[in-house]
């Protein structure tokens, strides 16, 4: 089954509202999580990351929350703008088996921002 | 800002033909990766490469696939005999450190097998 996945395939928000995108993971051995933004025809673009020894990390207009108890990750975007419209992926890095850094991606949530 | 460059942006090939997808990673990065994304699906890991050898590969990366870093600058993915199901976006990525930190992805090559 899916190790890293997203609860909602699409999310539509009004410009200026806050957006919350969720992600679940199943491997408690994962210790590094990343959120990526992917615009049409482009590669994944790093947004923010968090290590498992943290439960919250803030960037510019974005916050990532990690709840290890329920294996849940979320991305919060403050004051969502039309330029935030994209597909958002969470990804995890698994440490078992001597992983050299390959990322396991979730399926993605499409964020649409209405003006 | 340094970037990972991929060429071509779009490649159309006939089933059974060999294709080579090219990537120029960020110059001081040491770890290199190929991922693919079938249209509308998630990004999937193919292979990681470090110190001139494959570090890890997924089930997708079978004998039809190979990677090479021929000249210390380019990083290539070769598919020997393409199948229809190889049609996808192929992303190259590089990082300075292992364990997934500081990844940078290229813009991808769209491979269409007809």
């Amino acid at each position: 089954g899916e190790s890293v996945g997203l609860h909602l395939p699409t999310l539509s928000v009004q410009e200026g509202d806050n957006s919350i995108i969720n992600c679940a993971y199943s491997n408690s051995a994962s210790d590094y999580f990343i959120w990526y933004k992917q615009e049409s025809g482009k590669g994944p673009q790093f947004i923010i990351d968090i290590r498992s020894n943290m439960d919250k990390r803030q960037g510019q207009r974005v916050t990532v929350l990690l709840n290890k108890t329920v294996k849940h990750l979320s991305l919060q975007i403050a004051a969502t703008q039309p330029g935030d419209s994209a597909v958002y992926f969470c990804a995890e890095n698994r440490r078992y088996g001597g992983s050299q850094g390959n990322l396991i991606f979730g399926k993605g949530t499409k964020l649409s921002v209405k003006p | 800002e340094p970037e990972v460059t991929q060429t071509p942006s779009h490649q159309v090939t006939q089933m059974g033909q060999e294709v080579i997808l090219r990537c120029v990673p960020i110059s001081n990065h040491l770890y290199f990766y190929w991922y693919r994304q079938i249209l509308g699906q998630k990004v999937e890991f193919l292979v990681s490469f470090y110190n001139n050898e494959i570090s890890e590969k997924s089930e997708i990366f079978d004998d039809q696939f190979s990677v090479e870093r021929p000249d210390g600058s380019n990083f290539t993915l070769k598919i020997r005999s393409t199948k229809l199901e190889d049609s996808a976006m192929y992303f190259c990525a590089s990082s300075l450190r292992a364990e997934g930190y500081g990844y940078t992805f290229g813009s991808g090559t769209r491979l269409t097998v007809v």
Side-chain angles (χ1 to χ4, degrees):
Chain A
E2 283 295 321
S3 172
V4 179
L6 293 161
H7 296 308
L8 297 173
T10 60
L11 177 65
S12 183
V13 300
Q14 204 70 36
E15 181 179 359
D17 287 352
N18 297 333
S19 302
I20 299 176
I21 301 172
N22 296 303
C23 178
Y25 66 96
S26 61
N27 185 4
S28 57
S30 294
D31 70 345
Y32 179 59
F33 304 89
I34 314 105
W35 279 101
Y36 286 96
K37 173 185 181 182
Q38 187 179 29
E39 296 173 290
S40 181
K42 296 185 179 180
Q45 179 186 358
F46 174 89
I47 300 173
I48 192 167
D49 58 1
I50 189 167
R51 299 189 189 189
S52 58
N53 61 352
M54 303 170 70
D55 53 21
K56 181 179 180 179
R57 190 161 188 228
Q58 288 185 292
Q60 188 177 13
R61 280 201 309 117
V62 294
T63 300
V64 56
L65 299 177
L66 176 63
N67 185 331
K68 294 181 285 294
T69 302
V70 295
K71 299 191 186 74
H72 185 265
L73 192 69
S74 68
L75 176 71
Q76 300 178 1
I77 305 173
T80 315
Q81 302 168 359
D84 295 327
S85 295
V87 177
Y88 289 80
F89 294 93
C90 62
E92 66 174 309
N93 176 235
R94 294 179 174 173
R95 297 299 304 277
Y96 72 85
S99 169
Q100 288 296 310
N102 60 302
L103 299 175
I104 308 298
F105 280 81
K107 288 184 179 177
T109 292
K110 183 176 181 180
L111 175 65
S112 297
V113 182
K114 295 178 287 187
Chain B
E1 189 169 327
E3 58 181 28
V4 174
T5 305
Q6 289 187 244
T7 55
S9 56
H10 191 187
Q11 172 102 36
V12 181
T13 188
Q14 288 199 326
M15 189 169 54
Q17 295 296 304
E18 174 183 286
V19 294
I20 297 176
L21 309 183
R22 303 181 190 279
C23 170
V24 178
I26 293 174
S27 60
N28 65 334
H29 283 187
L30 302 175
Y31 299 84
F32 314 108
Y33 312 87
W34 283 100
Y35 286 77
R36 81 171 186 190
Q37 184 179 31
I38 295 171
L39 184 64
Q41 299 188 23
K42 62 181 181 178
V43 178
E44 300 174 290
F45 169 75
L46 292 178
V47 65
S48 59
F49 191 87
Y50 170 72
N51 200 26
N52 281 322
E53 59 183 20
I54 291 174
S55 311
E56 196 166 3
K57 58 184 181 181
S58 71
E59 294 174 350
I60 303 168
F61 194 88
D62 62 21
D63 292 344
Q64 293 299 310
F65 291 87
S66 63
V67 290
E68 193 177 32
R69 187 157 162 81
D71 56 13
S73 173
N74 294 283
F75 180 51
T76 62
L77 174 69
K78 181 192 292 186
I79 309 175
R80 291 189 183 81
S81 178
T82 50
K83 303 185 286 287
L84 294 176
E85 53 265 38
D86 293 327
S87 296
M89 281 289 286
Y90 287 82
F91 294 106
C92 173
S94 68
S95 65
L96 182 59
R97 297 167 55 187
E99 303 163 347
Y101 303 137
Y103 256 68
T104 301
F105 281 87
S107 293
T109 293
R110 177 168 296 285
L111 176 65
T112 302
V113 182
V114 297

